[in-house]
Short mmCIF file of all heavy atoms in Angstrom, two decimals:
data_model
loop_
_atom_site.label_atom_id
_atom_site.label_comp_id
_atom_site.label_asym_id
_atom_site.label_seq_id
_atom_site.Cartn_x
_atom_site.Cartn_y
_atom_site.Cartn_z
N GLN O 11 37.51 -18.72 -24.30
CA GLN O 11 36.13 -18.73 -23.83
C GLN O 11 35.56 -20.16 -23.86
O GLN O 11 34.80 -20.54 -22.96
CB GLN O 11 35.27 -17.81 -24.70
CG GLN O 11 33.82 -17.73 -24.24
CD GLN O 11 33.00 -16.76 -25.06
OE1 GLN O 11 33.53 -16.00 -25.87
NE2 GLN O 11 31.69 -16.78 -24.88
N LEU O 12 35.94 -20.93 -24.88
CA LEU O 12 35.45 -22.30 -25.00
C LEU O 12 35.81 -23.12 -23.76
O LEU O 12 34.97 -23.87 -23.24
CB LEU O 12 36.04 -22.96 -26.25
CG LEU O 12 35.73 -24.45 -26.44
CD1 LEU O 12 34.23 -24.64 -26.65
CD2 LEU O 12 36.51 -25.00 -27.64
N ASP O 13 37.05 -23.00 -23.28
CA ASP O 13 37.46 -23.77 -22.10
C ASP O 13 36.70 -23.32 -20.86
O ASP O 13 36.33 -24.14 -20.02
CB ASP O 13 38.97 -23.63 -21.89
CG ASP O 13 39.77 -24.29 -22.99
OD1 ASP O 13 39.43 -25.41 -23.38
OD2 ASP O 13 40.74 -23.67 -23.48
N VAL O 14 36.49 -22.01 -20.74
CA VAL O 14 35.74 -21.49 -19.60
C VAL O 14 34.32 -22.05 -19.61
O VAL O 14 33.80 -22.52 -18.60
CB VAL O 14 35.72 -19.95 -19.62
CG1 VAL O 14 34.74 -19.42 -18.56
CG2 VAL O 14 37.11 -19.39 -19.38
N GLU O 15 33.69 -22.02 -20.79
CA GLU O 15 32.31 -22.50 -20.91
C GLU O 15 32.21 -23.99 -20.59
O GLU O 15 31.27 -24.44 -19.93
CB GLU O 15 31.78 -22.22 -22.31
CG GLU O 15 31.58 -20.73 -22.59
CD GLU O 15 31.19 -20.46 -24.02
OE1 GLU O 15 31.30 -21.40 -24.86
OE2 GLU O 15 30.77 -19.32 -24.32
N ARG O 16 33.18 -24.79 -21.06
CA ARG O 16 33.13 -26.23 -20.81
C ARG O 16 33.40 -26.57 -19.35
O ARG O 16 32.83 -27.52 -18.81
CB ARG O 16 34.10 -26.94 -21.75
CG ARG O 16 33.62 -26.92 -23.20
CD ARG O 16 34.53 -27.68 -24.13
NE ARG O 16 33.94 -27.75 -25.47
CZ ARG O 16 34.53 -28.28 -26.53
NH1 ARG O 16 35.75 -28.82 -26.40
NH2 ARG O 16 33.93 -28.30 -27.70
N LEU O 17 34.26 -25.80 -18.71
CA LEU O 17 34.49 -26.03 -17.29
C LEU O 17 33.22 -25.70 -16.49
O LEU O 17 32.82 -26.45 -15.59
CB LEU O 17 35.66 -25.18 -16.79
CG LEU O 17 37.06 -25.65 -17.21
CD1 LEU O 17 38.10 -24.59 -16.86
CD2 LEU O 17 37.42 -26.98 -16.55
N ARG O 18 32.60 -24.60 -16.84
CA ARG O 18 31.36 -24.23 -16.15
C ARG O 18 30.26 -25.26 -16.41
O ARG O 18 29.49 -25.58 -15.50
CB ARG O 18 30.93 -22.84 -16.60
CG ARG O 18 31.78 -21.71 -16.01
CD ARG O 18 31.43 -20.37 -16.60
NE ARG O 18 32.12 -19.27 -15.91
CZ ARG O 18 32.19 -18.03 -16.37
NH1 ARG O 18 31.59 -17.71 -17.51
NH2 ARG O 18 32.83 -17.09 -15.68
N ALA O 19 30.20 -25.76 -17.64
CA ALA O 19 29.20 -26.77 -17.97
C ALA O 19 29.41 -28.04 -17.16
O ALA O 19 28.46 -28.79 -16.89
CB ALA O 19 29.23 -27.07 -19.46
N ALA O 20 30.66 -28.28 -16.77
CA ALA O 20 30.99 -29.45 -15.96
C ALA O 20 30.75 -29.20 -14.47
O ALA O 20 31.08 -30.05 -13.64
CB ALA O 20 32.44 -29.87 -16.20
N GLY O 21 30.22 -28.03 -14.15
CA GLY O 21 29.91 -27.71 -12.76
C GLY O 21 31.05 -27.08 -11.99
O GLY O 21 31.00 -27.00 -10.76
N ILE O 22 32.09 -26.63 -12.69
CA ILE O 22 33.25 -26.02 -12.03
C ILE O 22 33.14 -24.50 -12.13
O ILE O 22 33.15 -23.95 -13.24
CB ILE O 22 34.57 -26.50 -12.67
CG1 ILE O 22 34.67 -28.02 -12.57
CG2 ILE O 22 35.77 -25.82 -12.01
CD1 ILE O 22 35.85 -28.60 -13.32
N PRO O 23 33.03 -23.79 -11.03
CA PRO O 23 32.96 -22.32 -11.08
C PRO O 23 34.25 -21.73 -11.64
O PRO O 23 35.35 -22.21 -11.32
CB PRO O 23 32.76 -21.91 -9.61
CG PRO O 23 32.27 -23.15 -8.94
CD PRO O 23 32.92 -24.30 -9.65
N VAL O 24 34.14 -20.72 -12.48
CA VAL O 24 35.31 -20.06 -13.07
C VAL O 24 35.19 -18.55 -12.87
O VAL O 24 34.17 -17.95 -13.23
CB VAL O 24 35.45 -20.37 -14.57
CG1 VAL O 24 36.72 -19.71 -15.12
CG2 VAL O 24 35.47 -21.87 -14.81
N TRP O 25 36.21 -17.96 -12.28
CA TRP O 25 36.30 -16.51 -12.10
C TRP O 25 37.21 -15.97 -13.20
O TRP O 25 38.37 -16.37 -13.30
CB TRP O 25 36.89 -16.20 -10.72
CG TRP O 25 37.22 -14.77 -10.43
CD1 TRP O 25 38.35 -14.10 -10.79
CD2 TRP O 25 36.41 -13.83 -9.72
NE1 TRP O 25 38.31 -12.81 -10.34
CE2 TRP O 25 37.13 -12.61 -9.68
CE3 TRP O 25 35.17 -13.90 -9.09
CZ2 TRP O 25 36.63 -11.47 -9.03
CZ3 TRP O 25 34.68 -12.76 -8.45
CH2 TRP O 25 35.40 -11.57 -8.43
N VAL O 26 36.68 -15.10 -14.07
CA VAL O 26 37.43 -14.59 -15.20
C VAL O 26 37.79 -13.13 -14.97
O VAL O 26 36.91 -12.29 -14.75
CB VAL O 26 36.64 -14.74 -16.52
CG1 VAL O 26 37.47 -14.21 -17.69
CG2 VAL O 26 36.26 -16.19 -16.76
N THR O 27 39.08 -12.82 -15.05
CA THR O 27 39.54 -11.44 -14.91
C THR O 27 39.70 -10.82 -16.29
O THR O 27 40.00 -11.50 -17.27
CB THR O 27 40.88 -11.37 -14.18
OG1 THR O 27 41.89 -12.02 -14.96
CG2 THR O 27 40.80 -12.02 -12.81
N ARG O 28 39.48 -9.52 -16.36
CA ARG O 28 39.73 -8.74 -17.58
C ARG O 28 40.61 -7.57 -17.19
O ARG O 28 40.15 -6.65 -16.52
CB ARG O 28 38.43 -8.25 -18.21
CG ARG O 28 38.65 -7.41 -19.47
CD ARG O 28 37.34 -6.94 -20.06
NE ARG O 28 37.58 -6.11 -21.23
CZ ARG O 28 36.61 -5.55 -21.95
NH1 ARG O 28 35.33 -5.75 -21.62
NH2 ARG O 28 36.90 -4.80 -22.99
N ILE O 29 41.86 -7.62 -17.58
CA ILE O 29 42.84 -6.64 -17.12
C ILE O 29 43.44 -5.89 -18.31
O ILE O 29 44.21 -6.46 -19.09
CB ILE O 29 43.98 -7.32 -16.32
CG1 ILE O 29 43.41 -8.23 -15.22
CG2 ILE O 29 44.90 -6.26 -15.74
CD1 ILE O 29 42.60 -7.53 -14.17
N GLU O 30 43.10 -4.62 -18.45
CA GLU O 30 43.68 -3.79 -19.49
C GLU O 30 44.34 -2.54 -18.92
O GLU O 30 45.00 -1.80 -19.64
CB GLU O 30 42.62 -3.38 -20.52
CG GLU O 30 42.06 -4.56 -21.32
CD GLU O 30 41.04 -4.13 -22.35
OE1 GLU O 30 40.68 -2.92 -22.38
OE2 GLU O 30 40.60 -4.98 -23.15
N THR O 31 44.15 -2.29 -17.62
CA THR O 31 44.75 -1.14 -16.97
C THR O 31 45.24 -1.53 -15.58
O THR O 31 44.81 -2.55 -15.01
CB THR O 31 43.75 0.02 -16.82
OG1 THR O 31 42.73 -0.37 -15.89
CG2 THR O 31 43.13 0.40 -18.15
N LEU O 32 46.10 -0.71 -15.03
CA LEU O 32 46.57 -0.95 -13.66
C LEU O 32 45.41 -0.86 -12.68
O LEU O 32 45.30 -1.68 -11.76
CB LEU O 32 47.64 0.08 -13.30
CG LEU O 32 48.12 0.05 -11.85
CD1 LEU O 32 48.83 -1.26 -11.54
CD2 LEU O 32 49.04 1.24 -11.56
N GLU O 33 44.53 0.10 -12.86
CA GLU O 33 43.38 0.24 -11.96
C GLU O 33 42.52 -1.02 -11.98
O GLU O 33 42.07 -1.48 -10.92
CB GLU O 33 42.55 1.45 -12.36
CG GLU O 33 41.37 1.71 -11.43
CD GLU O 33 40.59 2.95 -11.80
OE1 GLU O 33 40.97 3.64 -12.77
OE2 GLU O 33 39.58 3.23 -11.13
N GLN O 34 42.29 -1.57 -13.17
CA GLN O 34 41.52 -2.82 -13.25
C GLN O 34 42.23 -3.95 -12.52
O GLN O 34 41.59 -4.77 -11.86
CB GLN O 34 41.29 -3.20 -14.71
CG GLN O 34 40.28 -2.33 -15.43
CD GLN O 34 40.15 -2.71 -16.89
OE1 GLN O 34 41.00 -3.39 -17.45
NE2 GLN O 34 39.08 -2.25 -17.52
N ALA O 35 43.55 -4.00 -12.63
CA ALA O 35 44.31 -5.06 -11.97
C ALA O 35 44.18 -4.95 -10.45
O ALA O 35 43.90 -5.94 -9.76
CB ALA O 35 45.78 -4.97 -12.37
N LEU O 36 44.37 -3.75 -9.92
CA LEU O 36 44.29 -3.57 -8.47
C LEU O 36 42.88 -3.84 -7.95
O LEU O 36 42.70 -4.49 -6.90
CB LEU O 36 44.72 -2.14 -8.11
CG LEU O 36 46.17 -1.76 -8.46
CD1 LEU O 36 46.40 -0.29 -8.15
CD2 LEU O 36 47.16 -2.63 -7.70
N THR O 37 41.88 -3.38 -8.71
CA THR O 37 40.49 -3.60 -8.29
C THR O 37 40.12 -5.08 -8.36
O THR O 37 39.49 -5.63 -7.45
CB THR O 37 39.54 -2.80 -9.17
OG1 THR O 37 39.83 -1.40 -9.05
CG2 THR O 37 38.08 -3.03 -8.78
N SER O 38 40.52 -5.74 -9.45
CA SER O 38 40.19 -7.15 -9.63
C SER O 38 40.85 -8.01 -8.55
O SER O 38 40.20 -8.90 -7.98
CB SER O 38 40.63 -7.62 -11.02
OG SER O 38 40.30 -8.98 -11.23
N MET O 39 42.12 -7.76 -8.27
CA MET O 39 42.79 -8.53 -7.24
C MET O 39 42.17 -8.27 -5.87
O MET O 39 42.02 -9.18 -5.05
CB MET O 39 44.28 -8.17 -7.20
CG MET O 39 45.08 -8.65 -8.41
SD MET O 39 45.19 -10.46 -8.55
CE MET O 39 43.83 -10.76 -9.68
N GLY O 40 41.77 -7.03 -5.63
CA GLY O 40 41.12 -6.71 -4.37
C GLY O 40 39.81 -7.46 -4.20
O GLY O 40 39.52 -8.00 -3.12
N ARG O 41 39.02 -7.53 -5.26
CA ARG O 41 37.74 -8.24 -5.19
C ARG O 41 37.96 -9.75 -4.99
O ARG O 41 37.25 -10.39 -4.22
CB ARG O 41 36.95 -8.01 -6.48
CG ARG O 41 36.37 -6.62 -6.65
CD ARG O 41 35.52 -6.56 -7.89
NE ARG O 41 34.41 -7.50 -7.80
CZ ARG O 41 33.83 -8.07 -8.84
NH1 ARG O 41 34.28 -7.82 -10.07
NH2 ARG O 41 32.80 -8.90 -8.68
N LEU O 42 38.95 -10.29 -5.70
CA LEU O 42 39.21 -11.72 -5.59
C LEU O 42 39.54 -12.13 -4.16
O LEU O 42 38.97 -13.09 -3.62
CB LEU O 42 40.35 -12.12 -6.53
CG LEU O 42 40.81 -13.58 -6.45
CD1 LEU O 42 39.69 -14.54 -6.83
CD2 LEU O 42 42.04 -13.81 -7.35
N PHE O 43 40.44 -11.38 -3.54
CA PHE O 43 40.89 -11.78 -2.20
C PHE O 43 39.94 -11.34 -1.09
O PHE O 43 39.77 -12.05 -0.10
CB PHE O 43 42.31 -11.25 -1.94
CG PHE O 43 43.35 -11.97 -2.74
CD1 PHE O 43 43.96 -11.38 -3.83
CD2 PHE O 43 43.71 -13.27 -2.42
CE1 PHE O 43 44.91 -12.05 -4.58
CE2 PHE O 43 44.65 -13.96 -3.15
CZ PHE O 43 45.25 -13.35 -4.24
N ASP O 44 39.30 -10.20 -1.28
CA ASP O 44 38.43 -9.69 -0.22
C ASP O 44 37.03 -10.29 -0.31
O ASP O 44 36.51 -10.82 0.68
CB ASP O 44 38.36 -8.17 -0.30
CG ASP O 44 37.67 -7.55 0.90
OD1 ASP O 44 37.65 -8.19 1.96
OD2 ASP O 44 37.13 -6.44 0.77
N GLU O 45 36.42 -10.23 -1.50
CA GLU O 45 35.03 -10.66 -1.64
C GLU O 45 34.88 -12.16 -1.90
O GLU O 45 33.96 -12.79 -1.37
CB GLU O 45 34.37 -9.88 -2.77
CG GLU O 45 34.34 -8.36 -2.56
CD GLU O 45 33.74 -7.63 -3.73
OE1 GLU O 45 33.04 -8.28 -4.55
OE2 GLU O 45 33.97 -6.41 -3.86
N VAL O 46 35.76 -12.72 -2.72
CA VAL O 46 35.60 -14.13 -3.11
C VAL O 46 36.28 -15.07 -2.12
O VAL O 46 35.67 -16.02 -1.61
CB VAL O 46 36.14 -14.37 -4.54
CG1 VAL O 46 35.98 -15.83 -4.93
CG2 VAL O 46 35.41 -13.47 -5.53
N LEU O 47 37.54 -14.81 -1.83
CA LEU O 47 38.30 -15.69 -0.95
C LEU O 47 38.20 -15.29 0.53
O LEU O 47 38.61 -16.05 1.40
CB LEU O 47 39.77 -15.73 -1.38
CG LEU O 47 40.00 -16.24 -2.81
CD1 LEU O 47 41.47 -16.18 -3.17
CD2 LEU O 47 39.47 -17.66 -2.97
N ASP O 48 37.69 -14.08 0.77
CA ASP O 48 37.41 -13.61 2.13
C ASP O 48 38.64 -13.62 3.03
O ASP O 48 38.60 -14.07 4.17
CB ASP O 48 36.30 -14.47 2.76
CG ASP O 48 35.72 -13.84 4.02
OD1 ASP O 48 35.76 -12.61 4.13
OD2 ASP O 48 35.24 -14.59 4.89
N VAL O 49 39.77 -13.10 2.50
CA VAL O 49 40.98 -13.02 3.30
C VAL O 49 41.47 -11.57 3.45
O VAL O 49 42.56 -11.33 3.99
CB VAL O 49 42.11 -13.89 2.70
CG1 VAL O 49 41.75 -15.36 2.79
CG2 VAL O 49 42.44 -13.47 1.28
N GLY O 50 40.69 -10.62 2.97
CA GLY O 50 41.09 -9.23 3.07
C GLY O 50 42.12 -8.85 2.02
O GLY O 50 42.42 -9.62 1.11
N THR O 51 42.67 -7.66 2.15
CA THR O 51 43.64 -7.15 1.19
C THR O 51 45.05 -7.64 1.53
O THR O 51 45.54 -7.37 2.64
CB THR O 51 43.64 -5.61 1.19
OG1 THR O 51 42.34 -5.13 0.86
CG2 THR O 51 44.66 -5.08 0.17
N PRO O 52 45.70 -8.37 0.62
CA PRO O 52 47.06 -8.84 0.90
C PRO O 52 48.03 -7.68 1.08
O PRO O 52 47.84 -6.59 0.50
CB PRO O 52 47.41 -9.65 -0.36
CG PRO O 52 46.10 -9.95 -1.01
CD PRO O 52 45.20 -8.81 -0.69
N ASP O 53 49.08 -7.89 1.84
CA ASP O 53 50.08 -6.84 2.06
C ASP O 53 50.69 -6.38 0.74
O ASP O 53 50.93 -5.19 0.55
CB ASP O 53 51.18 -7.35 3.00
CG ASP O 53 50.69 -7.54 4.43
OD1 ASP O 53 49.62 -7.00 4.76
OD2 ASP O 53 51.37 -8.24 5.20
N TRP O 54 50.97 -7.33 -0.17
CA TRP O 54 51.61 -6.94 -1.44
C TRP O 54 50.69 -6.06 -2.28
O TRP O 54 51.16 -5.18 -3.00
CB TRP O 54 52.04 -8.18 -2.24
CG TRP O 54 50.93 -9.10 -2.66
CD1 TRP O 54 50.51 -10.24 -2.03
CD2 TRP O 54 50.06 -8.95 -3.79
NE1 TRP O 54 49.46 -10.81 -2.69
CE2 TRP O 54 49.16 -10.05 -3.79
CE3 TRP O 54 49.97 -8.02 -4.82
CZ2 TRP O 54 48.17 -10.22 -4.76
CZ3 TRP O 54 48.99 -8.18 -5.79
CH2 TRP O 54 48.11 -9.27 -5.76
N LEU O 55 49.38 -6.29 -2.17
CA LEU O 55 48.44 -5.48 -2.94
C LEU O 55 48.35 -4.07 -2.38
O LEU O 55 48.28 -3.09 -3.13
CB LEU O 55 47.07 -6.15 -2.94
CG LEU O 55 45.98 -5.48 -3.79
CD1 LEU O 55 46.43 -5.31 -5.23
CD2 LEU O 55 44.69 -6.28 -3.72
#
């Protein structure tokens, strides 16, 4: 958390994933590529 906070304090955006289940993994990856990076759902996903 310390590194995340210091990067953000330096003006660098940080996207933090929390993965404890397969469903969380699939949902998180989907949001990253579709909503954040705006490239849609990758074929592998």
Side-chain angles (χ1 to χ4, degrees):
Q11 182 177 351
L12 175 64
D13 293 315
V14 171
E15 291 174 348
R16 289 183 174 176
L17 286 170
R18 286 173 172 167
I22 301 173
V24 183
W25 172 277
V26 181
T27 64
R28 178 180 179 180
I29 309 297
E30 294 182 354
T31 67
L32 174 65
E33 183 177 359
Q34 287 177 343
L36 297 175
T37 299
S38 181
M39 291 294 95
R41 288 185 61 208
L42 175 62
F43 288 106
D44 189 25
E45 299 177 18
V46 179
L47 300 177
D48 194 27
V49 293
T51 301
D53 290 343
W54 62 263
L55 184 56

